[in-house]
Amino acid sequence: MRSSIEQYIIDRVREIRIAEKVSQADLSYRLGFESTSYIGEIESAKPGNTESYNINHLNEIAKILKCSPKVFWPDMPL
């Protein structure tokens, strides 16, 4: 099960990814994952799903989405 901060970050990345019109498959590809469904696996709300982003992923995603990595984090601790 994911922590509340992991889910918050996943939701923020999804929100910004959609606003920038970047598909899950395109983001997976641009991050260098062999599976184009990797982002879909992370964004999935299946019970027991523990997939999440690491700090390096977030830095690379920020480059792709042309934003600061800070926008993925909440203003206050959760």
Side-chain angles (χ1 to χ4, degrees):
M1 186 163 166
R2 294 181 185 135
S3 67
S4 57
I5 188 66
E6 288 172 317
Q7 190 60 55
Y8 180 92
I9 290 170
I10 290 166
D11 292 343
R12 284 292 293 152
V13 169
R14 178 189 308 113
E15 180 183 320
I16 295 166
R17 176 185 63 72
I18 291 170
E20 293 297 316
K21 297 179 175 50
V22 176
S23 70
Q24 290 176 341
D26 187 41
L27 186 56
S28 291
Y29 174 76
R30 291 171 69 182
L31 286 170
F33 294 114
E34 290 184 23
S35 170
T36 56
S37 64
Y38 186 72
I39 299 301
E41 292 172 25
I42 291 175
E43 292 183 0
S44 172
K46 291 180 194 171
N49 187 351
T50 59
E51 296 289 336
S52 62
Y53 298 114
N54 66 39
I55 299 298
N56 292 321
H57 292 149
L58 294 174
N59 191 58
E60 293 305 310
I61 291 168
K63 290 177 187 178
I64 293 165
L65 299 178
K66 298 178 179 106
C67 64
S68 169
K70 291 191 272 183
V71 303
F72 304 135
W73 294 83
D75 291 332
M76 299 297 292
L78 301 179

